[in-house]
Amino acid sequence: SAVISQKPSRDICQRGTSLTIQCQVDSQVTMMFWYRQQPGQSLTLIATANQGSEATYESGFVIDKFPISRPNLTFSTLTVSNMSPEDSSIYLCSVAHQETQYFGPGTRLLVL
Amino acid sequence: AQKVTQAQTEISVVEKEDVTLDCVYETRDTTYYLFWYKQPPSGELVFLIRRNSFDEQNEISGRYSWNFQKSTSSFNFTITASQVVDSAVYFCALGKVYNFNKFYFGSGTKLNVKP
């Protein structure tokens, strides 16, 4: 399996600010994904991040709000920009590895 | 259309009881993957099992077992002799074989195991 770490594990932010979440995996992977999980809900895919190309965003998510970087095959960042209380969620990164998606521990974000 | 339905929103059992979590899926694909994940209160999503659509053999891993029935499009998960540590939200997911960014999650079933 792939071992994934995320930073920060949790944060409390003020509305209007931005937060960058880091995702590090212990092996080189082609596909990395960012998900949002709102309180009590299932997971929703924000975007797919492939190294060397622009991230592909799902319907309802835009690059200006959720810019993503993928500088190499083991690392990615997701920025939540101009935050509002509605952005309070768990943000999870995952990787496709050996025909399975493995998930990081998540970042719990609370926006006041 | 691809869809995963977990009709049980929340289940409560007493420790040592057996419990089955239901998962029903819809897909037009002939080959696909099915998954179960566990999300404890800490929030991490833990991979439990992957099943390929052409492998209908049931699987047992310790107290966990999975029943895959293509005829009824179901992939149910049974925990035998449940323990308090099994308390979590369990997600069933459907994945496309050739387009791995397409992952369809069910709404999850929250399992409460009481001592």
Side-chain angles (χ1 to χ4, degrees), chain B residues 20-21 23 34 36 49 51 56-59 65-70 72-78:
Chain B
T20 295
L21 309 182
C23 173
L34 294 165
W36 276 96
I49 189 171
R51 222 43 184 158
E56 285 194 70
Q57 197 168 17
N58 291 329
E59 183 154 340
S65 62
W66 291 270
N67 184 338
F68 176 29
Q69 291 199 342
K70 221 168 176 177
T72 56
S73 297
S74 64
F75 186 42
N76 296 337
F77 173 29
T78 297

Side-chain angles (χ1 to χ4, degrees), chain B residues 5-54:
Chain B
T5 301
Q6 294 180 256
Q8 304 152 308
T9 305
E10 187 164 354
I11 301 174
S12 292
V13 299
V14 176
E15 210 171 16
K16 298 184 183 176
E17 284 185 9
D18 298 347
V19 58
T20 295
L21 309 182
D22 297 333
C23 173
V24 174
Y25 64 92
E26 296 174 30
T27 181
R28 293 183 193 148
D29 295 341
T30 53
T31 56
Y32 48 89
Y33 291 118
L34 294 165
F35 302 84
W36 276 96
Y37 290 87
K38 174 183 180 180
Q39 188 175 41
S42 59
E44 182 175 5
L45 216 63
V46 178
F47 165 72
L48 296 178
I49 189 171
R50 180 190 72 242
R51 222 43 184 158
N52 193 309
S53 54
F54 53 75

